[in-house]
Amino acid sequence: DQQVKQNSPSLSVQEGRISILNCDYTNSMFDYFLWYKKYPAEGPTFLISISSIKDKNEDGRFTVFLNKSAKHLSLHIVPSQPGDSAVYFCAASNTGNQFYFGTGTSLTVIP
Amino acid sequence: NAGVMQNPRHLVRRRGQEARLRCSPVKGHSHVYWYRQLPEEGLKFMVYLQKENIIDESGMPKERFSAEFPKEGPSILRIQQVVRGDSAAYFCASSSTGTGVYQPQHFGDGTRLSIL
């Protein structure tokens, strides 16, 4: 049972434009959400997180939005850079221990 | 490099052999997590350990798989009598805190296990 879903396996964006990656979840008890970035042959690298008491968290070019009523979160990257090309995973937790990961979205930023 | 260290990076085993995957967490982290990633899939939680204790093993297959995190030394994920379906990337993560205090997990670069 996939509790965290990323329905877009891939996304292509022109350099300088905004990248929007989406994630949906089914468990209303989730209260901590994260985004990870993964390059081939490497482990995931933590990008940004948000707790359920907030609806937005920003860190430089990366902003995460949380819509609890829709059980939806998104990651905005602006402006997108070629080095952002990677697979992005969203993850959610309600205990801080077990994190449920989506299947990932492969982002390609075209120079 | 003070990050999570996993070894080996690549491991090849024949069906029926044992696979041992090692994970040294970030220095000072006492919480370790193992995940498995099958081709074209996301990361699946397997087990969460603290020093000398298994906290949550709800994602571990009931047979052939075991994990430990001894007082001294790395965490070990052991797969006995491997089968072709065990071929996957196994990632270890660590964090400084556990239940109730949300901190991101820091991942190693994984062990790619191939079963012949």
Side-chain angles (χ1 to χ4, degrees):
Chain A
D1 179 29
Q2 192 71 25
Q3 298 193 49
V4 177
K5 299 177 183 178
Q6 295 176 256
N7 293 318
S8 298
S10 62
L11 174 68
S12 291
V13 172
Q14 287 290 132
E15 180 179 4
R17 306 293 285 270
I18 185 171
S19 296
I20 300 176
L21 297 97
N22 294 303
C23 180
D24 298 292
Y25 60 95
T26 57
N27 189 340
S28 59
M29 298 301 292
F30 287 149
D31 59 1
Y32 183 52
F33 306 87
L34 309 91
W35 283 95
Y36 283 86
K37 174 181 179 180
K38 185 181 181 304
Y39 293 116
E42 294 184 10
T45 302
F46 169 72
L47 262 181
I48 191 168
S49 65
I50 188 168
S51 70
S52 59
I53 62 173
K54 301 175 76 172
D55 55 17
K56 177 183 174 182
N57 189 26
E58 191 172 352
D59 184 2
R61 297 186 297 113
F62 302 91
T63 303
V64 56
F65 294 92
L66 176 62
N67 182 334
K68 291 186 287 294
S69 60
K71 297 192 185 67
H72 177 85
L73 69 156
S74 61
L75 174 69
H76 293 209
I77 307 172
V78 57
S80 300
Q81 300 173 354
D84 296 329
S85 297
V87 177
Y88 289 78
F89 291 95
C90 66
S93 173
N94 66 335
T95 65
N97 294 336
Q98 180 175 158
F99 285 83
Y100 295 85
F101 281 79
T103 51
T105 296
S106 178
L107 172 66
T108 301
V109 179
I110 303 165
Chain B
N1 186 349
V4 176
M5 302 300 293
Q6 290 188 250
N7 68 82
R9 289 296 306 276
H10 301 273
L11 182 60
V12 179
R13 285 287 178 267
R14 296 188 181 279
R15 282 178 297 171
Q17 291 184 320
E18 178 179 284
R20 289 168 62 96
L21 288 64
R22 295 175 181 77
C23 170
S24 296
V26 172
K27 188 176 182 180
H29 285 188
S30 58
H31 303 259
V32 165
Y33 315 79
W34 285 93
Y35 293 84
R36 176 165 64 176
Q37 185 181 24
L38 295 169
E40 308 302 324
E41 293 190 12
L43 295 160
K44 300 287 189 185
F45 168 81
M46 298 181 75
V47 62
Y48 161 45
L49 311 102
Q50 292 182 33
K51 284 287 187 181
E52 301 185 275
N53 289 303
I54 296 175
I55 306 303
D56 182 350
E57 57 180 347
S58 57
M60 287 276 271
K62 294 289 185 281
E63 298 177 348
R64 302 188 297 108
F65 285 71
S66 62
E68 62 178 10
F69 188 17
K71 187 176 181 180
E72 300 292 337
S75 176
I76 305 289
L77 179 67
R78 183 183 291 110
I79 311 172
Q80 296 177 306
Q81 299 174 333
V82 295
V83 300
R84 288 238 170 92
D86 297 332
S87 295
Y90 292 83
F91 291 94
C92 171
S94 73
S95 68
S96 58
T97 59
T99 303
V101 182
Y102 298 121
Q103 291 291 328
Q105 298 173 355
H106 299 268
F107 282 81
D109 286 338
T111 294
R112 271 92 186 147
L113 176 63
S114 299
I115 308 303
L116 302 180

